[in-house]
Amino acid sequence: MKPLTLAAMLGLAALLAACGQKAETDDAAANTTAEATGKMDAMASNMSGDMGNMEMPMAGSAKMAKGAGTVTAVDKSAGTITLDHGPIAEADWPAMTMAFKAKPELLDSVKVGDKVAFDLALNGNAGEVTAIQKQ
Ligand SMILES: [Cu+2]
């Protein structure tokens, strides 16, 4: 933990303590709140700075993209589908052939040679097909 984060957390603790003390005068409460708010702002900006450096391979953080292409392989044991796909701007990919993870029901819904449109959940240089439709 960075010293700044610790200081900000102590500021938050002070704010929480202040909230429990209803007997203070209005002036004192206002001063405490203003000071604590400043520290909370510092904490918020510090936290967002830390978050920016973090790799977060969670489904919730995946970027969605749409693509179109041709199925060149379906590997049910590996749980992957290989697509000869066109450029995907969201991923900054040129046209290429690559394998994607996909759920079994999606693998069952297409076969080699099918022209398809698909949705992707992007995770760095990998992607999972989340929907696929024959065209
Ligand atoms: Cu690709």
Side-chain angles (χ1 to χ4, degrees), residues 64-124:
M64 299 306 296
K66 286 182 179 296
T70 305
V71 178
T72 62
V74 176
D75 187 335
K76 288 180 188 173
S77 58
T80 59
I81 183 168
T82 305
L83 296 166
D84 179 359
H85 69 76
I88 298 179
E90 293 92 333
D92 210 15
W93 285 341
M96 67 176 102
T97 301
M98 66 187 288
F100 296 97
K101 281 190 188 163
K103 296 221 160 62
E105 59 267 31
L106 294 180
L107 298 177
D108 284 338
S109 70
V110 294
K111 62 183 191 310
V112 172
D114 283 347
K115 296 222 183 308
V116 295
F118 56 91
D119 292 348
L120 278 181
L122 294 170
N123 233 323

Short mmCIF file of all heavy atoms in Angstrom, two decimals, residues 64-124:
data_model
loop_
_atom_site.label_atom_id
_atom_site.label_comp_id
_atom_site.label_asym_id
_atom_site.label_seq_id
_atom_site.Cartn_x
_atom_site.Cartn_y
_atom_site.Cartn_z
N MET A 64 -16.49 -5.70 -25.69
CA MET A 64 -17.28 -6.47 -26.65
C MET A 64 -16.95 -6.00 -28.07
O MET A 64 -16.68 -4.83 -28.30
CB MET A 64 -18.77 -6.30 -26.39
CG MET A 64 -19.21 -6.79 -25.02
SD MET A 64 -18.74 -8.50 -24.68
CE MET A 64 -19.70 -9.36 -25.94
N ALA A 65 -16.97 -6.95 -28.99
CA ALA A 65 -16.72 -6.63 -30.39
C ALA A 65 -17.58 -7.54 -31.26
O ALA A 65 -18.03 -8.59 -30.80
CB ALA A 65 -15.24 -6.84 -30.72
N LYS A 66 -17.80 -7.10 -32.48
CA LYS A 66 -18.54 -7.92 -33.43
C LYS A 66 -17.64 -8.20 -34.62
O LYS A 66 -16.79 -7.39 -34.97
CB LYS A 66 -19.81 -7.18 -33.91
CG LYS A 66 -20.90 -7.14 -32.86
CD LYS A 66 -22.13 -6.44 -33.39
CE LYS A 66 -23.24 -6.41 -32.35
NZ LYS A 66 -23.73 -7.74 -32.00
N GLY A 67 -17.82 -9.38 -35.19
CA GLY A 67 -17.02 -9.74 -36.35
C GLY A 67 -17.81 -10.62 -37.29
O GLY A 67 -18.93 -11.05 -36.98
N ALA A 68 -17.21 -10.89 -38.43
CA ALA A 68 -17.82 -11.79 -39.40
C ALA A 68 -16.70 -12.59 -40.04
O ALA A 68 -15.56 -12.12 -40.15
CB ALA A 68 -18.58 -11.00 -40.45
N GLY A 69 -17.03 -13.82 -40.44
CA GLY A 69 -16.01 -14.65 -41.06
C GLY A 69 -16.53 -16.02 -41.40
O GLY A 69 -17.75 -16.23 -41.45
N THR A 70 -15.60 -16.95 -41.62
CA THR A 70 -15.94 -18.31 -42.00
C THR A 70 -15.36 -19.27 -40.97
O THR A 70 -14.23 -19.09 -40.51
CB THR A 70 -15.33 -18.63 -43.39
OG1 THR A 70 -15.77 -17.65 -44.31
CG2 THR A 70 -15.74 -20.02 -43.86
N VAL A 71 -16.15 -20.26 -40.60
CA VAL A 71 -15.69 -21.27 -39.65
C VAL A 71 -14.69 -22.19 -40.36
O VAL A 71 -15.03 -22.77 -41.40
CB VAL A 71 -16.87 -22.10 -39.11
CG1 VAL A 71 -16.37 -23.18 -38.15
CG2 VAL A 71 -17.89 -21.19 -38.43
N THR A 72 -13.46 -22.31 -39.83
CA THR A 72 -12.48 -23.21 -40.46
C THR A 72 -12.22 -24.44 -39.61
O THR A 72 -11.66 -25.41 -40.11
CB THR A 72 -11.14 -22.49 -40.73
OG1 THR A 72 -10.60 -22.06 -39.48
CG2 THR A 72 -11.35 -21.28 -41.63
N ALA A 73 -12.61 -24.41 -38.34
CA ALA A 73 -12.46 -25.59 -37.49
C ALA A 73 -13.33 -25.44 -36.26
O ALA A 73 -13.57 -24.33 -35.80
CB ALA A 73 -11.00 -25.78 -37.07
N VAL A 74 -13.83 -26.58 -35.77
CA VAL A 74 -14.57 -26.60 -34.51
C VAL A 74 -13.95 -27.72 -33.68
O VAL A 74 -13.90 -28.88 -34.11
CB VAL A 74 -16.07 -26.88 -34.73
CG1 VAL A 74 -16.79 -27.00 -33.39
CG2 VAL A 74 -16.70 -25.77 -35.58
N ASP A 75 -13.40 -27.39 -32.54
CA ASP A 75 -12.77 -28.40 -31.67
C ASP A 75 -13.57 -28.49 -30.38
O ASP A 75 -13.40 -27.69 -29.46
CB ASP A 75 -11.32 -27.99 -31.39
CG ASP A 75 -10.56 -29.08 -30.64
OD1 ASP A 75 -11.21 -29.89 -29.93
OD2 ASP A 75 -9.33 -29.12 -30.75
N LYS A 76 -14.46 -29.48 -30.35
CA LYS A 76 -15.34 -29.58 -29.18
C LYS A 76 -14.58 -30.01 -27.93
O LYS A 76 -14.94 -29.60 -26.82
CB LYS A 76 -16.49 -30.54 -29.48
CG LYS A 76 -17.47 -29.92 -30.47
CD LYS A 76 -18.64 -30.81 -30.81
CE LYS A 76 -19.45 -30.19 -31.93
NZ LYS A 76 -20.51 -31.06 -32.44
N SER A 77 -13.53 -30.81 -28.07
CA SER A 77 -12.81 -31.23 -26.87
C SER A 77 -12.02 -30.07 -26.27
O SER A 77 -11.89 -29.96 -25.05
CB SER A 77 -11.90 -32.43 -27.16
OG SER A 77 -10.97 -32.11 -28.18
N ALA A 78 -11.50 -29.21 -27.13
CA ALA A 78 -10.77 -28.03 -26.63
C ALA A 78 -11.72 -26.89 -26.29
O ALA A 78 -11.33 -25.93 -25.62
CB ALA A 78 -9.74 -27.58 -27.65
N GLY A 79 -12.96 -26.96 -26.80
CA GLY A 79 -13.90 -25.87 -26.56
C GLY A 79 -13.57 -24.63 -27.36
O GLY A 79 -13.75 -23.51 -26.87
N THR A 80 -13.06 -24.84 -28.59
CA THR A 80 -12.69 -23.68 -29.40
C THR A 80 -13.29 -23.77 -30.79
O THR A 80 -13.60 -24.85 -31.30
CB THR A 80 -11.15 -23.56 -29.56
OG1 THR A 80 -10.65 -24.74 -30.18
CG2 THR A 80 -10.48 -23.36 -28.21
N ILE A 81 -13.44 -22.61 -31.37
CA ILE A 81 -13.87 -22.49 -32.77
C ILE A 81 -12.83 -21.63 -33.47
O ILE A 81 -12.37 -20.64 -32.92
CB ILE A 81 -15.28 -21.88 -32.85
CG1 ILE A 81 -15.74 -21.83 -34.30
CG2 ILE A 81 -15.33 -20.49 -32.23
CD1 ILE A 81 -17.23 -21.52 -34.41
N THR A 82 -12.41 -22.07 -34.67
CA THR A 82 -11.44 -21.29 -35.43
C THR A 82 -12.17 -20.57 -36.54
O THR A 82 -12.96 -21.17 -37.28
CB THR A 82 -10.33 -22.21 -35.99
OG1 THR A 82 -9.75 -22.94 -34.92
CG2 THR A 82 -9.25 -21.39 -36.68
N LEU A 83 -11.93 -19.26 -36.59
CA LEU A 83 -12.64 -18.42 -37.55
C LEU A 83 -11.63 -17.68 -38.43
O LEU A 83 -10.64 -17.12 -37.93
CB LEU A 83 -13.50 -17.39 -36.80
CG LEU A 83 -14.63 -17.96 -35.97
CD1 LEU A 83 -15.18 -16.90 -35.02
CD2 LEU A 83 -15.74 -18.48 -36.88
N ASP A 84 -11.90 -17.73 -39.74
CA ASP A 84 -11.17 -16.88 -40.68
C ASP A 84 -11.97 -15.60 -40.73
O ASP A 84 -12.96 -15.50 -41.43
CB ASP A 84 -11.12 -17.59 -42.04
CG ASP A 84 -10.40 -16.77 -43.10
OD1 ASP A 84 -9.95 -15.65 -42.79
OD2 ASP A 84 -10.32 -17.25 -44.24
N HIS A 85 -11.57 -14.63 -39.91
CA HIS A 85 -12.43 -13.46 -39.71
C HIS A 85 -11.88 -12.21 -40.38
O HIS A 85 -10.68 -12.08 -40.63
CB HIS A 85 -12.66 -13.22 -38.21
CG HIS A 85 -11.45 -12.77 -37.45
ND1 HIS A 85 -10.96 -11.49 -37.52
CD2 HIS A 85 -10.64 -13.42 -36.57
CE1 HIS A 85 -9.90 -11.38 -36.72
NE2 HIS A 85 -9.67 -12.53 -36.15
N GLY A 86 -12.76 -11.29 -40.65
CA GLY A 86 -12.38 -9.99 -41.21
C GLY A 86 -11.80 -9.10 -40.13
O GLY A 86 -11.70 -9.50 -38.96
N PRO A 87 -11.38 -7.89 -40.49
CA PRO A 87 -10.82 -6.96 -39.50
C PRO A 87 -11.80 -6.70 -38.36
O PRO A 87 -13.00 -6.62 -38.58
CB PRO A 87 -10.58 -5.67 -40.30
CG PRO A 87 -10.58 -6.10 -41.73
CD PRO A 87 -11.47 -7.30 -41.83
N ILE A 88 -11.27 -6.59 -37.14
CA ILE A 88 -12.09 -6.26 -35.98
C ILE A 88 -11.51 -5.00 -35.35
O ILE A 88 -10.48 -5.03 -34.67
CB ILE A 88 -12.13 -7.44 -34.98
CG1 ILE A 88 -12.76 -8.66 -35.66
CG2 ILE A 88 -12.92 -7.05 -33.72
CD1 ILE A 88 -12.84 -9.90 -34.80
N ALA A 89 -12.18 -3.90 -35.61
CA ALA A 89 -11.65 -2.59 -35.21
C ALA A 89 -11.51 -2.49 -33.69
O ALA A 89 -10.52 -1.95 -33.19
CB ALA A 89 -12.56 -1.49 -35.72
N GLU A 90 -12.50 -3.02 -32.95
CA GLU A 90 -12.47 -2.89 -31.49
C GLU A 90 -11.21 -3.52 -30.89
O GLU A 90 -10.74 -3.10 -29.84
CB GLU A 90 -13.71 -3.55 -30.86
CG GLU A 90 -15.01 -2.84 -31.19
CD GLU A 90 -15.69 -3.42 -32.43
OE1 GLU A 90 -14.98 -3.96 -33.30
OE2 GLU A 90 -16.92 -3.31 -32.52
N ALA A 91 -10.69 -4.57 -31.55
CA ALA A 91 -9.51 -5.25 -31.04
C ALA A 91 -8.25 -4.81 -31.76
O ALA A 91 -7.16 -5.25 -31.42
CB ALA A 91 -9.68 -6.76 -31.20
N ASP A 92 -8.42 -3.93 -32.76
CA ASP A 92 -7.29 -3.48 -33.57
C ASP A 92 -6.66 -4.66 -34.31
O ASP A 92 -5.44 -4.75 -34.42
CB ASP A 92 -6.25 -2.78 -32.67
CG ASP A 92 -5.48 -1.72 -33.44
OD1 ASP A 92 -5.93 -1.34 -34.53
OD2 ASP A 92 -4.42 -1.29 -32.96
N TRP A 93 -7.51 -5.59 -34.76
CA TRP A 93 -7.02 -6.77 -35.48
C TRP A 93 -7.26 -6.62 -36.98
O TRP A 93 -8.34 -6.20 -37.39
CB TRP A 93 -7.78 -8.02 -35.03
CG TRP A 93 -7.40 -8.54 -33.71
CD1 TRP A 93 -6.26 -8.30 -33.01
CD2 TRP A 93 -8.17 -9.42 -32.90
NE1 TRP A 93 -6.28 -8.98 -31.82
CE2 TRP A 93 -7.45 -9.67 -31.72
CE3 TRP A 93 -9.42 -10.03 -33.06
CZ2 TRP A 93 -7.91 -10.49 -30.71
CZ3 TRP A 93 -9.89 -10.85 -32.06
CH2 TRP A 93 -9.14 -11.09 -30.89
N PRO A 94 -6.28 -7.01 -37.77
CA PRO A 94 -6.54 -7.15 -39.20
C PRO A 94 -7.30 -8.46 -39.43
O PRO A 94 -7.53 -9.21 -38.49
CB PRO A 94 -5.13 -7.24 -39.80
CG PRO A 94 -4.32 -7.88 -38.70
CD PRO A 94 -4.91 -7.38 -37.40
N ALA A 95 -7.65 -8.74 -40.67
CA ALA A 95 -8.25 -10.03 -40.99
C ALA A 95 -7.24 -11.13 -40.69
O ALA A 95 -6.04 -10.95 -40.91
CB ALA A 95 -8.64 -10.06 -42.46
N MET A 96 -7.71 -12.24 -40.12
CA MET A 96 -6.80 -13.35 -39.79
C MET A 96 -7.63 -14.58 -39.47
O MET A 96 -8.85 -14.51 -39.35
CB MET A 96 -5.93 -12.98 -38.59
CG MET A 96 -6.71 -12.83 -37.30
SD MET A 96 -5.64 -12.49 -35.89
CE MET A 96 -5.88 -10.74 -35.70
N THR A 97 -6.91 -15.67 -39.32
CA THR A 97 -7.55 -16.91 -38.89
C THR A 97 -7.06 -17.22 -37.49
O THR A 97 -5.85 -17.24 -37.25
CB THR A 97 -7.19 -18.07 -39.84
OG1 THR A 97 -7.63 -17.72 -41.15
CG2 THR A 97 -7.87 -19.35 -39.40
N MET A 98 -7.98 -17.40 -36.57
CA MET A 98 -7.57 -17.67 -35.20
C MET A 98 -8.66 -18.44 -34.46
O MET A 98 -9.81 -18.48 -34.88
CB MET A 98 -7.26 -16.38 -34.45
CG MET A 98 -8.47 -15.47 -34.24
SD MET A 98 -8.01 -13.87 -33.55
CE MET A 98 -7.60 -14.33 -31.88
N ALA A 99 -8.23 -19.06 -33.35
CA ALA A 99 -9.16 -19.85 -32.54
C ALA A 99 -9.69 -19.00 -31.40
O ALA A 99 -8.98 -18.18 -30.84
CB ALA A 99 -8.44 -21.07 -31.98
N PHE A 100 -10.96 -19.20 -31.10
CA PHE A 100 -11.61 -18.53 -29.98
C PHE A 100 -12.24 -19.57 -29.07
O PHE A 100 -12.70 -20.60 -29.54
CB PHE A 100 -12.74 -17.61 -30.47
CG PHE A 100 -12.28 -16.47 -31.33
CD1 PHE A 100 -12.35 -16.58 -32.70
CD2 PHE A 100 -11.80 -15.31 -30.76
CE1 PHE A 100 -11.94 -15.52 -33.50
CE2 PHE A 100 -11.39 -14.26 -31.56
CZ PHE A 100 -11.46 -14.36 -32.92
N LYS A 101 -12.29 -19.28 -27.80
CA LYS A 101 -13.10 -20.09 -26.90
C LYS A 101 -14.57 -19.88 -27.21
O LYS A 101 -14.96 -18.78 -27.61
CB LYS A 101 -12.85 -19.69 -25.44
CG LYS A 101 -11.59 -20.24 -24.86
CD LYS A 101 -11.57 -19.97 -23.37
CE LYS A 101 -10.23 -20.34 -22.77
NZ LYS A 101 -10.02 -19.76 -21.48
N ALA A 102 -15.36 -20.90 -26.99
CA ALA A 102 -16.81 -20.76 -27.16
C ALA A 102 -17.51 -21.83 -26.34
O ALA A 102 -16.96 -22.91 -26.09
CB ALA A 102 -17.19 -20.88 -28.63
N LYS A 103 -18.70 -21.52 -25.89
CA LYS A 103 -19.48 -22.48 -25.10
C LYS A 103 -19.93 -23.64 -26.00
O LYS A 103 -20.12 -23.45 -27.20
CB LYS A 103 -20.72 -21.79 -24.51
CG LYS A 103 -20.34 -20.70 -23.52
CD LYS A 103 -21.26 -20.73 -22.32
CE LYS A 103 -20.65 -20.01 -21.13
NZ LYS A 103 -20.40 -18.59 -21.39
N PRO A 104 -20.11 -24.84 -25.41
CA PRO A 104 -20.47 -26.02 -26.22
C PRO A 104 -21.67 -25.81 -27.12
O PRO A 104 -21.68 -26.27 -28.27
CB PRO A 104 -20.74 -27.09 -25.16
CG PRO A 104 -19.96 -26.67 -23.97
CD PRO A 104 -19.93 -25.16 -23.99
N GLU A 105 -22.70 -25.11 -26.62
CA GLU A 105 -23.90 -24.94 -27.45
C GLU A 105 -23.62 -24.09 -28.69
O GLU A 105 -24.25 -24.25 -29.73
CB GLU A 105 -25.07 -24.36 -26.63
CG GLU A 105 -24.79 -23.02 -25.97
CD GLU A 105 -24.28 -23.17 -24.53
OE1 GLU A 105 -23.58 -24.17 -24.23
OE2 GLU A 105 -24.56 -22.29 -23.71
N LEU A 106 -22.63 -23.18 -28.56
CA LEU A 106 -22.26 -22.38 -29.73
C LEU A 106 -21.48 -23.24 -30.73
O LEU A 106 -21.66 -23.11 -31.94
CB LEU A 106 -21.44 -21.17 -29.31
CG LEU A 106 -22.17 -20.12 -28.44
CD1 LEU A 106 -21.24 -18.97 -28.10
CD2 LEU A 106 -23.41 -19.60 -29.15
N LEU A 107 -20.61 -24.12 -30.19
CA LEU A 107 -19.83 -25.00 -31.07
C LEU A 107 -20.76 -25.93 -31.85
O LEU A 107 -20.49 -26.26 -33.00
CB LEU A 107 -18.84 -25.83 -30.24
CG LEU A 107 -17.79 -25.03 -29.47
CD1 LEU A 107 -16.93 -25.96 -28.63
CD2 LEU A 107 -16.91 -24.22 -30.42
N ASP A 108 -21.85 -26.34 -31.20
CA ASP A 108 -22.81 -27.25 -31.84
C ASP A 108 -23.65 -26.55 -32.90
O ASP A 108 -24.27 -27.21 -33.73
CB ASP A 108 -23.76 -27.84 -30.78
CG ASP A 108 -23.06 -28.93 -29.97
OD1 ASP A 108 -22.07 -29.49 -30.47
OD2 ASP A 108 -23.52 -29.20 -28.85
N SER A 109 -23.70 -25.21 -32.84
CA SER A 109 -24.65 -24.50 -33.70
C SER A 109 -24.08 -24.19 -35.09
O SER A 109 -24.80 -23.72 -35.96
CB SER A 109 -25.11 -23.21 -33.02
OG SER A 109 -24.04 -22.27 -32.99
N VAL A 110 -22.78 -24.43 -35.28
CA VAL A 110 -22.17 -24.14 -36.59
C VAL A 110 -21.26 -25.29 -37.00
O VAL A 110 -20.89 -26.13 -36.18
CB VAL A 110 -21.33 -22.84 -36.54
CG1 VAL A 110 -22.23 -21.63 -36.31
CG2 VAL A 110 -20.25 -22.93 -35.48
N LYS A 111 -20.89 -25.30 -38.29
CA LYS A 111 -19.96 -26.32 -38.77
C LYS A 111 -18.95 -25.68 -39.71
O LYS A 111 -19.14 -24.53 -40.14
CB LYS A 111 -20.71 -27.45 -39.45
CG LYS A 111 -21.48 -27.04 -40.68
CD LYS A 111 -22.24 -28.23 -41.25
CE LYS A 111 -22.82 -27.93 -42.63
NZ LYS A 111 -23.57 -26.67 -42.73
N VAL A 112 -17.87 -26.40 -39.98
CA VAL A 112 -16.81 -25.89 -40.85
C VAL A 112 -17.41 -25.49 -42.20
O VAL A 112 -18.22 -26.22 -42.77
CB VAL A 112 -15.71 -26.97 -41.05
CG1 VAL A 112 -14.71 -26.54 -42.11
CG2 VAL A 112 -15.01 -27.23 -39.72
N GLY A 113 -17.01 -24.32 -42.66
CA GLY A 113 -17.50 -23.81 -43.94
C GLY A 113 -18.62 -22.81 -43.80
O GLY A 113 -18.91 -22.07 -44.75
N ASP A 114 -19.26 -22.77 -42.62
CA ASP A 114 -20.34 -21.80 -42.43
C ASP A 114 -19.79 -20.37 -42.43
O ASP A 114 -18.75 -20.09 -41.83
CB ASP A 114 -21.03 -22.02 -41.07
CG ASP A 114 -21.98 -23.21 -41.09
OD1 ASP A 114 -22.29 -23.70 -42.19
OD2 ASP A 114 -22.39 -23.63 -40.00
N LYS A 115 -20.52 -19.48 -43.11
CA LYS A 115 -20.22 -18.05 -42.99
C LYS A 115 -21.04 -17.55 -41.79
O LYS A 115 -22.24 -17.81 -41.69
CB LYS A 115 -20.64 -17.31 -44.26
CG LYS A 115 -19.86 -17.76 -45.47
CD LYS A 115 -19.45 -16.56 -46.33
CE LYS A 115 -18.73 -16.97 -47.62
NZ LYS A 115 -17.60 -17.88 -47.37
N VAL A 116 -20.36 -16.83 -40.90
CA VAL A 116 -21.01 -16.46 -39.65
C VAL A 116 -20.75 -15.01 -39.28
O VAL A 116 -19.77 -14.41 -39.70
CB VAL A 116 -20.50 -17.35 -38.48
CG1 VAL A 116 -20.91 -18.80 -38.69
CG2 VAL A 116 -18.99 -17.24 -38.31
N ALA A 117 -21.68 -14.47 -38.49
CA ALA A 117 -21.47 -13.22 -37.77
C ALA A 117 -21.36 -13.62 -36.30
O ALA A 117 -22.04 -14.55 -35.86
CB ALA A 117 -22.63 -12.26 -37.98
N PHE A 118 -20.48 -12.94 -35.57
CA PHE A 118 -20.28 -13.37 -34.18
C PHE A 118 -20.00 -12.17 -33.27
O PHE A 118 -19.56 -11.11 -33.73
CB PHE A 118 -19.14 -14.38 -34.08
CG PHE A 118 -17.82 -13.91 -34.65
CD1 PHE A 118 -16.90 -13.26 -33.84
CD2 PHE A 118 -17.51 -14.09 -36.00
CE1 PHE A 118 -15.70 -12.82 -34.36
CE2 PHE A 118 -16.31 -13.64 -36.52
CZ PHE A 118 -15.40 -13.01 -35.71
N ASP A 119 -20.30 -12.39 -31.99
CA ASP A 119 -19.96 -11.42 -30.95
C ASP A 119 -18.78 -11.98 -30.17
O ASP A 119 -18.69 -13.18 -29.91
CB ASP A 119 -21.13 -11.23 -29.97
CG ASP A 119 -22.31 -10.52 -30.63
OD1 ASP A 119 -22.14 -9.98 -31.74
OD2 ASP A 119 -23.39 -10.53 -30.04
N LEU A 120 -17.89 -11.08 -29.77
CA LEU A 120 -16.70 -11.47 -29.03
C LEU A 120 -16.61 -10.71 -27.72
O LEU A 120 -16.91 -9.52 -27.69
CB LEU A 120 -15.44 -11.08 -29.81
CG LEU A 120 -14.92 -11.95 -30.93
CD1 LEU A 120 -13.65 -11.30 -31.47
CD2 LEU A 120 -14.62 -13.34 -30.43
N ALA A 121 -16.18 -11.41 -26.68
CA ALA A 121 -15.75 -10.74 -25.45
C ALA A 121 -14.23 -10.72 -25.52
O ALA A 121 -13.59 -11.77 -25.46
CB ALA A 121 -16.24 -11.49 -24.22
N LEU A 122 -13.66 -9.54 -25.65
CA LEU A 122 -12.20 -9.43 -25.81
C LEU A 122 -11.51 -9.38 -24.46
O LEU A 122 -11.98 -8.72 -23.54
CB LEU A 122 -11.86 -8.15 -26.57
CG LEU A 122 -12.33 -8.11 -28.02
CD1 LEU A 122 -12.14 -6.70 -28.57
CD2 LEU A 122 -11.57 -9.12 -28.84
N ASN A 123 -10.38 -10.07 -24.39
CA ASN A 123 -9.56 -10.06 -23.19
C ASN A 123 -8.12 -10.01 -23.64
O ASN A 123 -7.52 -11.05 -23.87
CB ASN A 123 -9.84 -11.31 -22.36
CG ASN A 123 -10.20 -10.97 -20.93
OD1 ASN A 123 -9.63 -10.03 -20.37
ND2 ASN A 123 -11.10 -11.72 -20.36
N GLY A 124 -7.58 -8.83 -23.79
CA GLY A 124 -6.23 -8.70 -24.32
C GLY A 124 -6.21 -9.22 -25.75
O GLY A 124 -7.02 -8.79 -26.57
#
